[in-house]
Amino acid sequence: MPDNSVNRPRTLATGAALLVAGIALTAFGWSTPALVLAVKALLFLLGLAVTYQGLSRLLLGIRGKRTDLLFNLAMIWLVGIVLAAILAPVLPLGEHNNVAATLYEPINMSPQLLTDHPLGTNNQGLDLLSRSIYGARTSLVISLLAIAIGTVVGGSIGVIAGYFRKGTDSIIGIFTNALLAVPPLILLIALSTFLTPSTRNLAFALSLLSIPGMVRLARANTIAFAQREFVMAARLMGATRFRIMLRELVPNVVLPVFSMAVVMISVLIVAEASLSFLGLGIQQPDPTWGNMVAEGEGGAMEDYPHIVLVPGTFLFLTVFAFNLLGEKAQQRWDTRSAKL
């Protein structure tokens, strides 16, 4: 409901002033060549903070009640990056992997908004905006495919373990604990020595990180729901075990597993970026956020920080947005559970 204590005209005026000041400060921090990098970064971040406060106050003045602006902005970012990744081949982007096509392009160009390379170029003249979007395409496909495999396989195993219990549960528990006992990065490095770095193989390797957690979560929820009245009623009516699991248990286990899956997407994006950074993931010149950050090695970070900051910002914002989405999904699940 609208908050009657809000002075709308004053809130709108304050919000508009903060918004204008924030945009001006952000643009100045981004574009000015007269300041050192640390000061430019500080001004840019300060401008973003002021812009955020201005938007918050404007929405408060317009709606008369507070809005979860951070979550809304995160969802706008996710929708935007997903659409950009899908439509990348038809968007008017610069060259992202063909070095032969960039012989006459400037190398290590700093970001300049009103140019053909608004986010700059790397040491081969490839456009960083284009590489970041195509990198999002690779990272998202690998992570989503991995979490789909992990959710289906881990969730199914967890439901079986939680419903049958006894020996089945013990055997599944041993394999689950064995996977959890291996440090994730060591497991991925070991798998990468046997698997050719491709989208399919990386997705399979990363799915092993999510399966143990999915098994445990699905098992715990299955045990809880298996004692509920509707499951008992299905048993008394003669329903088979498979039907009980599929019709009664799985629909109730899906929501908490889905909430965890959304959070795990961010973990898998970081894991894929780590492998690519180490040279064990998708290889150059095909871009991923990890191997783009690796381009800043060897002193390039000091002289051309945008080479690292551009893909690093894309990676940070995407992981942050998925974490917010997962947190919101978990809150919805907790609210639903409290009502049951």
Side-chain angles (χ1 to χ4, degrees), residues 235 306 333:
R235 286 176 181 166
H306 66 283
W333 163 245

Side-chain angles (χ1 to χ4, degrees), residues 94-98 102 122 126-127 130-132 134 285-287:
E95 185 56 48
H96 72 282
N97 66 352
N98 186 2
T102 61
N122 67 0
L126 297 172
D127 183 68
S130 177
R131 285 177 64 78
S132 295
Y134 275 93
D286 293 328

Side-chain angles (χ1 to χ4, degrees), residues 30-225:
W30 177 273
S31 60
T32 180
L35 300 173
V36 297
L37 176 62
V39 177
K40 290 177 64 174
L42 181 61
L43 289 175
F44 181 76
L45 294 175
L46 181 60
L48 289 180
V50 175
T51 302
Y52 175 79
Q53 290 296 325
L55 284 173
S56 297
R57 289 180 177 272
L58 277 177
L59 289 175
L60 178 60
I62 294 171
R63 302 187 61 193
K65 60 181 181 180
R66 299 194 179 278
T67 304
D68 192 350
L69 178 61
L70 188 60
F71 176 77
N72 291 334
L73 290 175
M75 293 307 98
I76 291 173
W77 170 263
L78 280 184
V79 171
I81 197 68
V82 170
L83 288 177
I86 294 173
L87 300 175
V90 299
L91 293 177
L93 299 172
E95 185 56 48
H96 72 282
N97 66 352
N98 186 2
V99 180
T102 61
L103 295 177
Y104 300 102
E105 296 291 339
I107 62 172
N108 295 322
M109 175 183 169
S110 299
Q112 297 180 18
L113 294 180
L114 301 179
T115 65
D116 294 335
H117 308 290
L119 297 184
T121 61
N122 67 0
N123 59 359
Q124 295 178 322
L126 297 172
D127 183 68
L128 287 182
L129 173 60
S130 177
R131 285 177 64 78
S132 295
I133 291 176
Y134 275 93
R137 201 177 194 193
T138 303
S139 296
L140 289 175
V141 167
I142 292 174
S143 301
L144 292 174
L145 184 57
I147 199 62
I149 296 172
T151 301
V152 173
V153 174
S156 300
I157 294 174
V159 171
I160 292 172
Y163 185 73
F164 287 99
R165 307 293 297 276
K166 300 181 180 180
T168 303
D169 190 19
S170 299
I171 294 173
I172 292 174
I174 291 172
F175 283 103
T176 301
N177 291 330
L179 277 177
L180 290 172
V182 182
L185 188 58
I186 301 299
L187 175 63
L188 292 176
I189 291 175
L191 288 172
S192 66
T193 61
F194 299 101
L195 299 175
T196 303
S198 65
T199 299
R200 181 185 60 187
N201 290 341
L202 283 174
F204 168 74
L206 290 173
S207 68
L208 296 180
L209 297 184
S210 62
I211 286 177
M214 294 300 180
V215 171
R216 287 191 164 188
L217 182 62
R219 173 186 176 275
N221 281 276
T222 299
I223 292 174
F225 282 106

Side-chain angles (χ1 to χ4, degrees), residues 210-293:
S210 62
I211 286 177
M214 294 300 180
V215 171
R216 287 191 164 188
L217 182 62
R219 173 186 176 275
N221 281 276
T222 299
I223 292 174
F225 282 106
Q227 309 303 320
R228 301 293 291 270
E229 294 80 1
F230 56 88
V231 176
M232 298 295 184
R235 286 176 181 166
L236 293 174
M237 294 174 64
T240 63
R241 291 178 174 180
F242 178 77
R243 180 181 176 83
I244 291 174
M245 286 190 293
L246 186 63
R247 299 293 298 272
E248 307 296 341
L249 294 176
V250 170
N252 290 287
V253 174
V254 162
L255 286 179
V257 169
F258 173 77
S259 301
M260 183 176 179
V262 175
V263 176
M264 281 297 298
I265 292 174
S266 61
V267 176
L268 297 181
I269 290 175
V270 173
E272 184 276 329
S274 300
L275 285 178
S276 296
F277 178 81
L278 296 173
L280 302 174
I282 302 299
Q283 301 297 307
Q284 296 278 13
D286 293 328
T288 71
W289 291 330
N291 65 28
M292 289 178 66
V293 172

